[in-house]
Amino acid sequence: SAAIDRPWSEDVLYFLMTDRFLDGDPANNVPAGSDPALHDPGQRSQRHYHGGDLRGLELALQSGYFNELGVTALWITPPLRNVWNAGFEEEGTPQTGYHGYWAQDFSDIDPHLTSSHRLDGSPYPAGREGRIAHYRDFVSLAHARGIKVIQDIVCNHAGQVFYYDVNGNGSFDTDSPAEWIQPFRREGRYENARWGNIPAWNLRRTAPEGVLSRLSSYGRKGWSGGSLGKDDGEEVECDFYRLRDFRTAPDSPHFDTLVNEFVRLYGFFIEECGVDGFRIDTARHVHHEFWDAFTERLRGRLGPRAERVLMFGEVYGRTPDRLATHTYRSDWPDRKDPCLDSLLNFPFCFAARDFLRHRGDTFGPTAPLARALRDWHGSPPNGRPYLTPEPGLDGLDARQKSLTFIENHDGLNRFRVAGVTAQRNVLANALLLTTEGIPCLYYGTEAGVRDERGVLERESETGRVTYVPRGEPERLEEARKSESFRAIRALISARKA
């Protein structure tokens, strides 16, 4: 439709964690064969499934909630079938894969998210066919409301599909932290990696069969706490926490096969399910040459349709010199066409929060915000622009498609915590919605949702709260009547005008 074909520079995004938005179908909260202890019926535990699903998003779409707010694209957390449980985080505590970033089957949708029947009551087919059909129906419903869908994707890692058999007994000792996480090994690989097989946690060999289901496709080099901030190669070779890192180096024997498999798998969700774009997770932890090949081959596969597909990356950092290189190909200037279309604008996010995220009438400095806005679209002395000025297939460049935001689901946490007023939250969103780039709201901000566990002085993930508690669908109607909702709706309307 014409509404879906509009330029990305005219969109306003709404990012939500599907498990934490609205539980529209309680029947899928404990999928057949899964460990019931992984679900929290009270929707309070940070580490357990809360029950939000595609049906919840469909109910919100049906009610006109997103249209009334004025958002034009939904960015959802990865919907793929996940490993459902891990025994140890790095601090020694268990957590579930409710967030979607622990893929086990890259060709399937997680049964926590799908229903046995369509909205009209007719049954879906059993198994994967039915789950894909439900996902396709969700995308179609969004399109019918003039709303695009952005799917969060991961090429850096799979979930905890194998373990390190430290004691050599041939079985996964899940109470042993060492079998979940091994220290980073710069030289060589751990040869004691073994596929897991715990059906109640869907902890098993990666699917589909092929390059993703071979241990040789994984780095198996372990993890170190400092690796996330490094630039010495460790950041692209290590496991990501306890997750299993793919070997994405261009000199690996399976490089082309791995790239082609991800192009095939993710291309399916665009071609067969109608997804409009991808947010690319942990982009900095994958070899740059992989992104060169992946973006080029995916665009080639999609043909003319590629002009309408947005691919933006998550590259964490405070300065553009570290982030924006991913909009260039690694073989620039021999090839000047863009690699990733754009990036999440972390420098803006950090500076906006430093300025506005305070108690009472306190404000932080404005100079860093001005600098972030200037430098993101600038150049170092005698250097190329930080963001590539080369337009993509749609005629827009990385600057025009840059994603601005003030909060997210990771360590940044919600903008509004104790001490931050609803008015200050609206003010932050006003800054977001009157700034160049594609603005992205975080679910619940339109109702001034406050993270009761979060604090100003500490980063955490406590903002991953359930927006609409189970059995209380009227909360969406209450949100529509809030001062925050009306203010943000008015700002979006003004932006469009």
Side-chain angles (χ1 to χ4, degrees), residues 349-371 415 420 424 427-428 431 456:
C349 175
F350 286 124
R353 290 163 71 92
D354 290 346
F355 170 41
L356 291 172
R357 195 171 181 256
H358 300 280
R359 294 183 176 87
D361 295 328
T362 305
F363 289 85
T366 56
L369 180 60
R371 190 181 313 117
F415 182 89
V420 178
R424 182 65 65 95
L427 184 60
L431 177 62
L456 281 171

Side-chain angles (χ1 to χ4, degrees), residues 64-123:
Y65 180 80
F66 300 114
N67 293 117
E68 187 173 341
L69 181 59
V71 298
T72 60
L74 299 181
W75 157 18
I76 65 169
T77 41
L80 303 184
R81 188 180 181 99
N82 265 224
V83 173
W84 298 330
N85 189 57
F88 285 87
E89 276 275 6
E90 68 279 4
E91 69 273 19
T93 51
Q95 180 174 308
T96 67
Y98 68 88
H99 41 67
Y101 294 95
W102 295 354
Q104 180 273 322
D105 190 338
F106 286 80
S107 65
D108 199 356
I109 302 297
D110 200 279
H112 285 91
L113 304 180
T114 58
S115 299
S116 61
H117 288 73
R118 293 180 169 86
L119 276 168
D120 64 9
S122 60

Side-chain angles (χ1 to χ4, degrees), residues 452-463:
E452 302 295 343
R453 303 179 192 178
V455 295
L456 281 171
E457 295 79 13
R458 186 175 69 246
E459 292 188 352
S460 71
E461 296 176 349
T462 55

Side-chain angles (χ1 to χ4, degrees), residues 39 65 85 127 131 157 160 165 223 227 231 254 259 272 275 278-280 291 303 398 405 459 467:
H39 172 64
Y65 180 80
N85 189 57
R131 291 189 288 271
H157 59 261
Q160 309 80 346
D165 189 15
W223 177 72
S227 61
D231 289 296
H254 58 265
V259 172
E272 301 299 327
V275 166
F278 293 142
R279 178 267 192 181
I280 299 174
W291 295 129
F405 66 108
E459 292 188 352
Y467 183 39

Side-chain angles (χ1 to χ4, degrees), residues 306-328:
E307 297 178 11
R308 303 193 300 274
V309 173
L310 176 68
M311 289 185 278
F312 65 96
E314 177 212 25
V315 183
Y316 194 90
R318 284 182 173 266
T319 57
D321 56 331
R322 183 176 182 179
L323 278 67
T325 55
H326 287 76
T327 63
Y328 291 89

Side-chain angles (χ1 to χ4, degrees), residues 468-480:
V468 182
R470 185 178 299 109
E472 301 181 31
E474 66 275 6
R475 288 289 187 95
L476 288 181
E477 190 56 39
E478 292 172 7
R480 285 177 161 109

Side-chain angles (χ1 to χ4, degrees), residues 406-423:
I406 57 169
E407 54 191 337
N408 70 9
H409 59 323
D410 287 326
L412 283 168
N413 206 341
R414 288 191 176 272
F415 182 89
R416 189 174 184 218
V417 294
V420 178
T421 64
Q423 184 181 39

